[in-house]
Amino acid sequence: MIKQLNEQNELTMGIGARYTRLKIPTARVNYYTGMQPYQRLAYERVQREQIYHVSSQLETQLTDKLTSSLGIKALSTLHATIQQSYSRN
């Protein structure tokens, strides 16, 4: 939501949510060999994440060539693990 407060000030507010489901591979015997920094291993094969955020920003036109922005954002993250049985080889 964008609200024009007056000729120089504009307020932007927003909310959002993101839901993800991660499938994590089963660990191999030499699971550290060739592992990339973005990879992760876990005993729980499937995990879910819920991320919520609220944000607000005030933009002020100080001069014809200078604008000031002040903002704040709050996040909340929830994690859930789905237990699945699997065999280790």
Side-chain angles (χ1 to χ4, degrees):
M1 178 176 99
I2 299 174
K3 173 138 175 103
Q4 189 74 36
L5 301 176
N6 56 40
E7 207 172 288
Q8 291 83 24
N9 297 297
E10 182 177 273
L11 182 64
T12 304
M13 295 181 287
I15 60 172
R18 181 175 67 199
Y19 304 97
T20 60
R21 183 171 185 239
L22 306 170
K23 289 184 179 180
I24 301 167
T26 306
R28 297 179 308 234
V29 175
N30 296 321
Y31 57 87
Y32 289 119
T33 304
M35 181 180 259
Q36 300 297 319
Y38 58 84
Q39 292 177 314
R40 73 184 201 192
L41 298 171
Y43 288 110
E44 298 85 18
R45 299 271 334 272
V46 179
Q47 297 177 356
R48 292 185 185 195
E49 250 179 20
Q50 300 172 9
I51 301 171
Y52 303 96
H53 78 273
V54 176
S55 61
S56 181
Q57 176 178 311
L58 177 64
E59 188 172 298
T60 303
Q61 187 74 39
L62 300 174
T63 68
D64 289 343
K65 296 181 181 181
L66 183 62
T67 302
S68 170
S69 294
L70 176 64
I72 187 166
K73 185 174 189 178
L75 293 171
S76 175
T77 304
L78 304 171
H79 299 278
T81 300
I82 302 167
Q83 296 291 335
Q84 289 185 343
S85 61
Y86 63 94
S87 61
R88 294 185 189 180
N89 294 331

Coordinates of all heavy atoms in Angstrom, one line a residue:
M1 N 0.8 -1.2 0.0 CA 0.0 0.0 0.0 C 0.9 1.2 0.0 O 1.8 1.3 0.8 CB -0.9 0.0 1.2 CG -1.8 1.2 1.3 SD -2.9 1.1 2.7 CE -2.0 2.1 3.9
I2 N 0.6 2.2 -0.9 CA 1.4 3.4 -1.0 C 0.4 4.6 -0.7 O -0.7 4.6 -1.3 CB 2.0 3.6 -2.4 CG1 3.0 2.5 -2.6 CG2 2.7 4.9 -2.5 CD1 3.6 2.5 -4.0
K3 N 0.8 5.4 0.3 CA 0.0 6.6 0.6 C 0.8 7.8 0.5 O 1.8 8.0 1.1 CB -0.5 6.4 2.1 CG -1.3 7.6 2.6 CD -2.5 7.2 3.3 CE -3.2 8.4 4.0 NZ -4.3 8.8 3.3
Q4 N 0.3 8.8 -0.3 CA 0.9 10.1 -0.4 C 0.4 10.9 0.8 O -0.8 11.3 0.9 CB 0.4 10.7 -1.7 CG 1.2 12.0 -2.1 CD 2.6 11.7 -2.5 OE1 2.9 10.7 -3.2 NE2 3.5 12.6 -2.2
L5 N 1.3 11.2 1.7 CA 0.9 12.0 2.9 C 0.8 13.5 2.6 O -0.1 14.1 3.1 CB 2.0 11.8 4.0 CG 2.2 10.3 4.4 CD1 3.3 10.2 5.4 CD2 0.9 9.7 5.0
N6 N 1.7 14.0 1.8 CA 1.6 15.4 1.4 C 2.5 15.5 0.1 O 3.0 14.5 -0.4 CB 2.0 16.4 2.5 CG 3.4 16.1 3.0 OD1 4.3 15.8 2.3 ND2 3.5 16.3 4.4
E7 N 2.8 16.7 -0.3 CA 3.6 16.9 -1.5 C 5.0 16.3 -1.5 O 5.5 15.8 -2.5 CB 3.6 18.4 -1.9 CG 3.8 18.6 -3.4 CD 3.6 20.1 -3.7 OE1 2.5 20.6 -3.6 OE2 4.7 20.7 -4.0
Q8 N 5.6 16.3 -0.3 CA 7.0 15.9 -0.1 C 7.1 14.4 0.5 O 8.2 13.8 0.4 CB 7.7 16.8 0.8 CG 8.0 18.2 0.2 CD 6.8 19.1 0.4 OE1 6.0 18.9 1.3 NE2 6.7 20.1 -0.4
N9 N 6.1 13.9 1.1 CA 6.2 12.6 1.8 C 5.3 11.5 1.3 O 4.1 11.8 1.0 CB 5.9 12.8 3.3 CG 6.9 13.8 4.0 OD1 8.0 13.5 4.0 ND2 6.4 14.9 4.4
E10 N 5.9 10.3 1.2 CA 5.1 9.2 0.7 C 5.4 8.0 1.6 O 6.6 7.7 1.9 CB 5.5 8.8 -0.7 CG 4.8 7.7 -1.4 CD 5.3 7.4 -2.8 OE1 4.7 8.1 -3.7 OE2 6.2 6.7 -3.0
L11 N 4.4 7.3 2.1 CA 4.5 6.2 3.0 C 4.1 4.9 2.3 O 3.1 4.8 1.7 CB 3.6 6.4 4.2 CG 3.7 5.3 5.3 CD1 5.0 5.3 5.9 CD2 2.6 5.6 6.4
T12 N 5.0 3.9 2.3 CA 4.8 2.6 1.7 C 4.7 1.6 2.9 O 5.6 1.5 3.7 CB 5.9 2.2 0.8 OG1 6.0 3.3 -0.2 CG2 5.6 0.9 0.1
M13 N 3.7 0.7 2.9 CA 3.6 -0.3 3.9 C 3.3 -1.6 3.1 O 2.6 -1.6 2.1 CB 2.5 0.0 4.9 CG 2.8 1.2 5.7 SD 1.5 1.6 6.9 CE 0.2 2.2 5.8
G14 N 3.8 -2.7 3.7 CA 3.5 -4.0 3.1 C 3.6 -5.2 4.0 O 4.2 -5.1 5.1
I15 N 3.0 -6.2 3.7 CA 3.1 -7.5 4.4 C 3.3 -8.6 3.4 O 2.9 -8.5 2.2 CB 1.8 -7.8 5.3 CG1 0.6 -7.9 4.4 CG2 1.7 -6.7 6.4 CD1 -0.6 -8.3 5.2
G16 N 3.8 -9.7 3.9 CA 4.0 -10.8 2.9 C 4.2 -12.1 3.7 O 4.5 -12.2 4.9
A17 N 4.1 -13.2 3.0 CA 4.4 -14.6 3.5 C 5.0 -15.4 2.4 O 4.7 -15.2 1.2 CB 3.1 -15.2 4.0
R18 N 5.8 -16.3 2.8 CA 6.4 -17.3 1.9 C 6.5 -18.7 2.5 O 6.9 -18.8 3.7 CB 7.9 -16.9 1.5 CG 8.5 -17.8 0.5 CD 9.8 -17.3 0.1 NE 10.8 -17.4 1.2 CZ 11.9 -16.7 1.2 NH1 12.3 -15.9 0.3 NH2 12.7 -16.8 2.3
Y19 N 6.1 -19.7 1.8 CA 6.0 -21.0 2.3 C 6.9 -21.9 1.4 O 6.8 -21.8 0.2 CB 4.6 -21.6 2.2 CG 3.6 -20.8 3.0 CD1 2.8 -19.8 2.4 CD2 3.5 -20.9 4.4 CE1 1.9 -19.1 3.1 CE2 2.6 -20.1 5.1 CZ 1.8 -19.2 4.4 OH 0.9 -18.4 5.2
T20 N 7.8 -22.6 2.0 CA 8.7 -23.5 1.2 C 8.7 -24.9 1.8 O 8.5 -25.1 3.0 CB 10.2 -23.0 1.2 OG1 10.6 -22.9 2.6 CG2 10.3 -21.6 0.6
R21 N 9.0 -25.8 0.9 CA 9.2 -27.2 1.3 C 10.5 -27.7 0.7 O 10.7 -27.6 -0.5 CB 8.0 -28.1 0.7 CG 8.1 -29.5 1.2 CD 6.8 -30.3 0.7 NE 6.9 -31.6 1.3 CZ 6.8 -32.7 0.5 NH1 6.7 -32.6 -0.8 NH2 6.9 -33.9 1.1
L22 N 11.4 -28.2 1.6 CA 12.7 -28.6 1.2 C 12.8 -30.1 1.3 O 12.4 -30.7 2.2 CB 13.8 -28.0 2.1 CG 13.7 -26.5 2.3 CD1 14.6 -26.1 3.5 CD2 14.2 -25.8 1.1
K23 N 13.4 -30.7 0.2 CA 13.7 -32.1 0.2 C 15.3 -32.2 0.3 O 16.0 -31.7 -0.5 CB 13.2 -32.8 -1.0 CG 11.8 -32.9 -1.1 CD 11.3 -33.7 -2.3 CE 9.9 -33.9 -2.3 NZ 9.4 -34.7 -3.5
I24 N 15.7 -32.8 1.4 CA 17.2 -32.9 1.6 C 17.7 -34.3 1.3 O 17.1 -35.3 1.8 CB 17.5 -32.5 3.1 CG1 16.9 -31.1 3.3 CG2 19.0 -32.6 3.4 CD1 16.9 -30.7 4.8
P25 N 18.7 -34.4 0.5 CA 19.2 -35.7 0.1 C 19.7 -36.5 1.3 O 20.2 -36.0 2.3 CB 20.3 -35.4 -0.9 CG 20.7 -34.1 -0.6 CD 19.5 -33.3 0.0
T26 N 19.6 -37.8 1.2 CA 20.2 -38.7 2.2 C 21.7 -38.7 2.1 O 22.3 -38.6 1.0 CB 19.7 -40.2 1.9 OG1 18.3 -40.2 1.8 CG2 20.2 -41.1 3.0
A27 N 22.4 -38.7 3.2 CA 23.8 -38.7 3.3 C 24.5 -39.9 2.6 O 24.0 -41.0 2.9 CB 24.3 -38.5 4.7
R28 N 25.5 -39.7 1.8 CA 26.3 -40.8 1.2 C 27.4 -41.1 2.2 O 27.6 -40.4 3.2 CB 26.8 -40.3 -0.1 CG 25.8 -40.0 -1.2 CD 26.5 -39.6 -2.4 NE 27.5 -38.5 -2.1 CZ 27.5 -37.4 -2.7 NH1 26.6 -37.1 -3.7 NH2 28.4 -36.4 -2.4
V29 N 28.1 -42.2 1.9 CA 29.2 -42.6 2.8 C 30.2 -41.5 2.9 O 30.6 -41.1 4.1 CB 29.9 -43.9 2.2 CG1 31.1 -44.3 3.0 CG2 28.9 -45.0 2.1
N30 N 30.7 -40.9 1.9 CA 31.7 -39.8 1.9 C 30.9 -38.5 1.6 O 31.2 -37.8 0.6 CB 32.8 -40.0 0.9 CG 33.6 -41.2 1.3 OD1 33.9 -41.5 2.4 ND2 34.0 -41.9 0.3
Y31 N 30.0 -38.1 2.5 CA 29.1 -37.0 2.1 C 29.8 -35.6 2.1 O 29.2 -34.7 1.6 CB 27.9 -37.0 3.0 CG 28.1 -36.9 4.5 CD1 28.3 -35.7 5.2 CD2 28.2 -38.1 5.2 CE1 28.5 -35.7 6.5 CE2 28.4 -38.1 6.6 CZ 28.6 -36.9 7.2 OH 28.8 -36.8 8.6
Y32 N 31.0 -35.5 2.7 CA 31.6 -34.2 2.7 C 32.4 -34.0 1.4 O 32.8 -32.9 1.0 CB 32.6 -34.0 3.9 CG 31.9 -33.8 5.2 CD1 32.0 -34.7 6.2 CD2 31.0 -32.7 5.4 CE1 31.4 -34.5 7.4 CE2 30.4 -32.5 6.6 CZ 30.5 -33.4 7.6 OH 29.9 -33.2 8.8
T33 N 32.7 -35.1 0.7 CA 33.5 -35.0 -0.5 C 32.6 -34.3 -1.6 O 31.6 -34.8 -1.9 CB 33.9 -36.4 -1.0 OG1 34.6 -37.1 0.0 CG2 34.7 -36.3 -2.3
G34 N 33.2 -33.2 -2.2 CA 32.5 -32.5 -3.2 C 31.2 -31.8 -2.8 O 30.5 -31.3 -3.6
M35 N 31.1 -31.5 -1.5 CA 29.9 -30.8 -1.0 C 30.1 -29.3 -1.3 O 31.1 -28.7 -1.1 CB 29.7 -31.0 0.5 CG 28.5 -30.3 1.1 SD 28.3 -30.5 2.8 CE 27.0 -31.7 2.8
Q36 N 29.0 -28.7 -1.8 CA 29.0 -27.3 -2.2 C 28.6 -26.5 -0.9 O 27.9 -27.0 -0.1 CB 28.1 -27.0 -3.3 CG 28.5 -27.7 -4.6 CD 29.9 -27.3 -5.1 OE1 30.2 -26.1 -5.1 NE2 30.7 -28.2 -5.6
P37 N 29.0 -25.2 -0.8 CA 28.6 -24.4 0.4 C 27.1 -24.2 0.5 O 26.7 -24.0 1.7 CB 29.3 -23.0 0.1 CG 30.3 -23.3 -0.9 CD 29.9 -24.5 -1.7
Y38 N 26.4 -24.3 -0.5 CA 24.9 -24.0 -0.4 C 24.2 -25.3 -0.1 O 23.0 -25.3 0.1 CB 24.4 -23.5 -1.8 CG 24.6 -24.3 -3.0 CD1 23.8 -25.4 -3.3 CD2 25.8 -24.1 -3.8 CE1 24.1 -26.2 -4.4 CE2 26.0 -24.9 -4.9 CZ 25.2 -25.9 -5.2 OH 25.5 -26.7 -6.2
Q39 N 24.8 -26.5 0.0 CA 24.2 -27.7 0.3 C 24.1 -28.0 1.8 O 24.8 -27.5 2.5 CB 24.9 -28.9 -0.4 CG 24.9 -28.9 -1.9 CD 25.7 -30.0 -2.4 OE1 26.9 -30.2 -2.0 NE2 25.2 -30.7 -3.4
R40 N 23.1 -28.8 2.2 CA 23.0 -29.2 3.6 C 22.4 -30.6 3.6 O 21.7 -31.0 2.8 CB 22.1 -28.2 4.3 CG 20.6 -28.3 4.1 CD 19.9 -27.2 4.9 NE 18.5 -27.5 5.0 CZ 17.7 -26.6 5.5 NH1 18.0 -25.4 5.8 NH2 16.4 -26.9 5.6
L41 N 22.8 -31.2 4.7 CA 22.3 -32.6 5.0 C 21.6 -32.6 6.3 O 21.9 -31.8 7.2 CB 23.5 -33.6 5.0 CG 24.3 -33.7 3.7 CD1 25.6 -34.5 4.0 CD2 23.5 -34.3 2.6
A42 N 20.6 -33.5 6.5 CA 19.9 -33.6 7.7 C 19.3 -35.0 7.8 O 19.2 -35.7 6.8 CB 18.8 -32.6 7.8
Y43 N 19.0 -35.4 9.1 CA 18.4 -36.7 9.3 C 16.9 -36.6 8.9 O 16.3 -37.6 8.5 CB 18.5 -37.1 10.7 CG 19.9 -37.6 11.1 CD1 20.6 -36.8 12.0 CD2 20.4 -38.7 10.6 CE1 21.9 -37.2 12.3 CE2 21.7 -39.1 10.9 CZ 22.5 -38.3 11.7 OH 23.7 -38.7 12.1
E44 N 16.3 -35.4 8.9 CA 15.0 -35.2 8.5 C 15.0 -34.9 7.0 O 15.6 -33.9 6.6 CB 14.3 -34.1 9.2 CG 14.2 -34.3 10.7 CD 15.4 -33.9 11.5 OE1 16.2 -33.2 10.9 OE2 15.6 -34.4 12.6
R45 N 14.4 -35.8 6.2 CA 14.5 -35.6 4.7 C 13.6 -34.5 4.2 O 14.0 -33.9 3.2 CB 14.0 -36.9 4.0 CG 14.8 -38.1 4.4 CD 16.0 -38.4 3.5 NE 16.0 -37.9 2.1 CZ 15.5 -38.5 1.1 NH1 15.0 -39.7 1.2 NH2 15.6 -37.9 -0.1
V46 N 12.5 -34.2 4.8 CA 11.6 -33.1 4.3 C 11.4 -32.1 5.4 O 11.1 -32.4 6.5 CB 10.3 -33.7 3.8 CG1 9.4 -32.6 3.3 CG2 10.5 -34.7 2.7
Q47 N 11.6 -30.8 5.1 CA 11.4 -29.7 6.0 C 10.6 -28.6 5.4 O 10.6 -28.5 4.2 CB 12.7 -29.2 6.5 CG 13.6 -30.1 7.2 CD 14.9 -29.6 7.6 OE1 15.3 -28.4 7.3 NE2 15.7 -30.3 8.3
R48 N 9.8 -27.9 6.2 CA 9.0 -26.8 5.7 C 9.4 -25.5 6.5 O 9.8 -25.6 7.6 CB 7.5 -27.1 6.0 CG 7.0 -28.2 5.1 CD 5.5 -28.4 5.3 NE 5.2 -29.5 4.5 CZ 3.9 -29.8 4.2 NH1 3.0 -29.1 4.6 NH2 3.7 -30.9 3.5
E49 N 9.3 -24.4 5.7 CA 9.6 -23.1 6.3 C 8.5 -22.2 6.0 O 8.0 -22.2 4.9 CB 10.9 -22.6 5.7 CG 12.1 -22.5 6.6 CD 13.3 -22.0 5.8 OE1 13.2 -21.3 4.8 OE2 14.4 -22.2 6.4
Q50 N 8.1 -21.4 7.0 CA 7.1 -20.3 6.8 C 7.8 -19.0 7.2 O 8.3 -18.9 8.3 CB 5.9 -20.6 7.6 CG 5.2 -21.9 7.3 CD 4.1 -22.2 8.3 OE1 3.7 -21.3 9.1 NE2 3.5 -23.3 8.2
I51 N 7.8 -18.0 6.3 CA 8.4 -16.8 6.6 C 7.4 -15.7 6.4 O 6.8 -15.6 5.4 CB 9.7 -16.5 5.7 CG1 10.7 -17.6 5.8 CG2 10.3 -15.1 5.9 CD1 11.8 -17.6 4.8
Y52 N 7.3 -14.8 7.4 CA 6.3 -13.7 7.4 C 7.1 -12.4 7.6 O 8.1 -12.4 8.3 CB 5.3 -13.8 8.5 CG 4.5 -15.1 8.5 CD1 4.9 -16.2 9.2 CD2 3.4 -15.3 7.6 CE1 4.2 -17.4 9.2 CE2 2.7 -16.5 7.6 CZ 3.1 -17.5 8.4 OH 2.4 -18.7 8.3
H53 N 6.6 -11.3 6.9 CA 7.3 -10.1 7.1 C 6.3 -8.9 7.0 O 5.3 -9.0 6.4 CB 8.4 -9.8 6.1 CG 8.0 -9.4 4.8 ND1 7.7 -10.3 3.8 CD2 7.8 -8.2 4.2 CE1 7.3 -9.7 2.7 NE2 7.4 -8.4 2.9
V54 N 6.7 -7.8 7.7 CA 5.9 -6.6 7.7 C 6.9 -5.5 7.5 O 8.0 -5.5 8.0 CB 5.2 -6.3 9.1 CG1 4.5 -5.0 9.1 CG2 4.3 -7.5 9.4
S55 N 6.6 -4.5 6.6 CA 7.6 -3.5 6.3 C 6.9 -2.1 6.1 O 5.7 -2.1 5.8 CB 8.3 -3.8 5.0 OG 7.5 -3.9 3.9
S56 N 7.7 -1.1 6.4 CA 7.2 0.3 6.2 C 8.4 1.1 5.8 O 9.5 1.0 6.2 CB 6.6 0.8 7.5 OG 6.1 2.1 7.3
Q57 N 8.1 2.1 4.9 CA 9.1 3.0 4.4 C 8.5 4.4 4.2 O 7.5 4.5 3.6 CB 9.7 2.5 3.1 CG 10.7 3.4 2.5 CD 11.3 2.8 1.2 OE1 11.7 1.7 1.2 NE2 11.3 3.6 0.1
L58 N 9.3 5.4 4.7 CA 8.9 6.8 4.5 C 9.9 7.4 3.5 O 11.1 7.4 3.8 CB 8.9 7.5 5.8 CG 8.5 9.0 5.7 CD1 7.1 9.2 5.2 CD2 8.7 9.7 7.0
E59 N 9.4 7.9 2.4 CA 10.2 8.6 1.4 C 9.9 10.1 1.4 O 8.7 10.5 1.3 CB 10.0 8.0 0.0 CG 11.0 8.5 -1.0 CD 10.9 7.7 -2.3 OE1 11.1 6.5 -2.3 OE2 10.5 8.4 -3.3
T60 N 10.9 10.9 1.6 CA 10.7 12.4 1.6 C 11.6 13.1 0.6 O 12.8 12.8 0.5 CB 11.2 12.9 3.0 OG1 10.4 12.2 4.0 CG2 10.9 14.4 3.2
Q61 N 10.9 13.9 -0.2 CA 11.6 14.7 -1.2 C 12.2 16.0 -0.5 O 11.4 16.9 -0.2 CB 10.6 15.1 -2.3 CG 11.3 15.8 -3.5 CD 12.0 14.8 -4.4 OE1 11.6 13.7 -4.6 NE2 13.2 15.2 -4.9
L62 N 13.5 16.0 -0.3 CA 14.1 17.1 0.4 C 14.3 18.3 -0.5 O 14.1 19.5 -0.1 CB 15.4 16.7 1.1 CG 15.3 15.6 2.1 CD1 16.6 15.1 2.5 CD2 14.4 16.0 3.3
T63 N 14.8 18.1 -1.7 CA 15.0 19.1 -2.7 C 14.6 18.5 -4.1 O 14.2 17.3 -4.1 CB 16.5 19.6 -2.8 OG1 17.3 18.6 -3.3 CG2 17.0 20.1 -1.5
D64 N 14.8 19.2 -5.2 CA 14.5 18.7 -6.5 C 15.4 17.5 -6.8 O 15.0 16.6 -7.6 CB 14.7 19.8 -7.6 CG 13.6 20.8 -7.5 OD1 12.5 20.5 -6.8 OD2 13.7 21.9 -8.0
K65 N 16.6 17.5 -6.3 CA 17.6 16.4 -6.6 C 17.9 15.5 -5.5 O 18.7 14.6 -5.6 CB 18.9 17.1 -7.1 CG 18.7 17.9 -8.4 CD 20.0 18.4 -8.9 CE 19.8 19.3 -10.1 NZ 21.0 19.8 -10.6
L66 N 17.3 15.7 -4.3 CA 17.7 14.9 -3.1 C 16.4 14.3 -2.5 O 15.5 15.0 -2.1 CB 18.4 15.8 -2.1 CG 18.9 15.1 -0.9 CD1 19.9 14.0 -1.2 CD2 19.6 16.1 0.1
T67 N 16.4 13.0 -2.3 CA 15.3 12.3 -1.7 C 15.9 11.4 -0.5 O 16.9 10.8 -0.6 CB 14.6 11.3 -2.7 OG1 14.1 12.1 -3.8 CG2 13.5 10.6 -2.1
S68 N 15.1 11.4 0.6 CA 15.5 10.6 1.7 C 14.6 9.5 1.9 O 13.3 9.6 1.8 CB 15.5 11.5 3.0 OG 15.7 10.7 4.1
S69 N 15.1 8.3 2.3 CA 14.2 7.1 2.5 C 14.6 6.5 3.9 O 15.8 6.3 4.2 CB 14.4 6.0 1.5 OG 14.0 6.5 0.2
L70 N 13.6 6.2 4.7 CA 13.8 5.6 6.0 C 12.8 4.4 6.1 O 11.6 4.6 5.8 CB 13.5 6.6 7.1 CG 13.5 6.1 8.5 CD1 15.0 5.6 8.9 CD2 13.1 7.2 9.5
G71 N 13.3 3.2 6.4 CA 12.5 2.1 6.3 C 12.8 1.1 7.5 O 13.8 1.2 8.1
I72 N 11.8 0.2 7.7 CA 11.9 -0.8 8.8 C 11.2 -2.1 8.2 O 10.2 -2.0 7.5 CB 11.3 -0.3 10.1 CG1 11.7 -1.3 11.2 CG2 9.9 -0.1 10.0 CD1 11.4 -0.8 12.6
K73 N 11.8 -3.2 8.6 CA 11.3 -4.5 8.2 C 11.4 -5.5 9.3 O 12.5 -5.6 9.9 CB 12.0 -5.0 6.9 CG 11.4 -6.2 6.3 CD 12.1 -6.6 5.0 CE 11.3 -7.7 4.3 NZ 12.0 -8.0 3.0
A74 N 10.4 -6.2 9.6 CA 10.4 -7.2 10.7 C 10.1 -8.6 10.0 O 9.2 -8.7 9.2 CB 9.3 -6.9 11.7
L75 N 10.9 -9.6 10.4 CA 10.7 -10.9 9.9 C 10.4 -11.9 11.0 O 10.9 -11.8 12.1 CB 12.0 -11.4 9.2 CG 12.4 -10.7 7.9 CD1 13.8 -11.1 7.5 CD2 11.4 -11.0 6.8
S76 N 9.7 -13.0 10.7 CA 9.4 -14.1 11.6 C 9.5 -15.4 10.7 O 8.9 -15.5 9.7 CB 8.0 -13.9 12.2 OG 7.7 -15.1 13.0
T77 N 10.3 -16.3 11.2 CA 10.4 -17.6 10.5 C 10.0 -18.7 11.4 O 10.4 -18.8 12.6 CB 11.9 -17.8 10.1 OG1 12.3 -16.6 9.4 CG2 12.1 -19.0 9.3
L78 N 9.2 -19.7 10.8 CA 8.8 -20.9 11.5 C 9.3 -22.1 10.7 O 9.2 -22.1 9.5 CB 7.3 -21.0 11.6 CG 6.6 -19.8 12.2 CD1 5.1 -19.9 12.1 CD2 6.9 -19.7 13.7
H79 N 9.9 -23.0 11.4 CA 10.4 -24.3 10.8 C 9.6 -25.5 11.3 O 9.3 -25.5 12.5 CB 11.9 -24.5 11.2 CG 12.8 -23.4 10.7 ND1 13.3 -23.3 9.4 CD2 13.3 -22.3 11.4 CE1 14.0 -22.2 9.3 NE2 14.0 -21.6 10.5
A80 N 9.3 -26.4 10.4 CA 8.6 -27.6 10.8 C 9.4 -28.8 10.1 O 9.8 -28.6 8.9 CB 7.2 -27.6 10.3
T81 N 9.5 -29.9 10.7 CA 10.1 -31.0 10.2 C 9.1 -32.1 10.0 O 8.3 -32.4 10.9 CB 11.3 -31.5 11.1 OG1 12.2 -30.5 11.3 CG2 11.9 -32.8 10.6
I82 N 9.1 -32.7 8.8 CA 8.3 -33.9 8.5 C 9.1 -35.1 8.7 O 10.1 -35.3 8.0 CB 7.7 -33.8 7.1 CG1 6.9 -32.4 7.0 CG2 6.8 -34.9 6.8 CD1 6.6 -32.1 5.6
Q83 N 8.8 -36.0 9.6 CA 9.5 -37.2 9.8 C 9.2 -38.2 8.7 O 8.0 -38.5 8.5 CB 9.2 -37.8 11.2 CG 9.6 -36.9 12.4 CD 11.1 -36.8 12.5 OE1 11.8 -37.7 12.1 NE2 11.5 -35.7 13.1
Q84 N 10.2 -38.7 8.1 CA 10.0 -39.8 7.1 C 11.1 -40.9 7.4 O 12.2 -40.6 7.7 CB 10.2 -39.3 5.7 CG 9.1 -38.4 5.2 CD 9.3 -38.1 3.8 OE1 10.4 -38.2 3.2 NE2 8.3 -37.6 3.1
S85 N 10.6 -42.1 7.3 CA 11.6 -43.2 7.6 C 12.4 -43.5 6.3 O 11.8 -43.4 5.2 CB 10.9 -44.4 8.1 OG 10.0 -44.9 7.1
Y86 N 13.6 -43.8 6.5 CA 14.5 -44.2 5.3 C 15.6 -45.1 5.8 O 15.9 -45.1 7.0 CB 15.0 -43.0 4.6 CG 16.0 -42.1 5.4 CD1 17.3 -42.3 5.3 CD2 15.5 -41.1 6.2 CE1 18.2 -41.5 6.0 CE2 16.3 -40.3 6.9 CZ 17.7 -40.5 6.8 OH 18.5 -39.7 7.5
S87 N 16.1 -45.9 5.0 CA 17.2 -46.8 5.4 C 18.5 -46.2 5.1 O 18.7 -45.6 4.1 CB 17.0 -48.2 4.7 OG 17.1 -48.0 3.3
R88 N 19.5 -46.5 6.0 CA 20.8 -46.1 5.7 C 21.6 -47.2 5.1 O 21.6 -48.3 5.6 CB 21.5 -45.7 7.0 CG 20.9 -44.4 7.6 CD 21.7 -44.0 8.8 NE 21.0 -43.0 9.5 CZ 21.4 -42.4 10.6 NH1 22.5 -42.8 11.2 NH2 20.7 -41.5 11.2
N89 N 22.3 -47.0 4.0 CA 23.1 -48.1 3.4 C 24.5 -47.9 3.6 O 25.1 -46.9 3.6 CB 22.8 -48.1 1.9 CG 21.3 -48.5 1.6 OD1 20.7 -49.2 2.4 ND2 20.8 -48.0 0.5

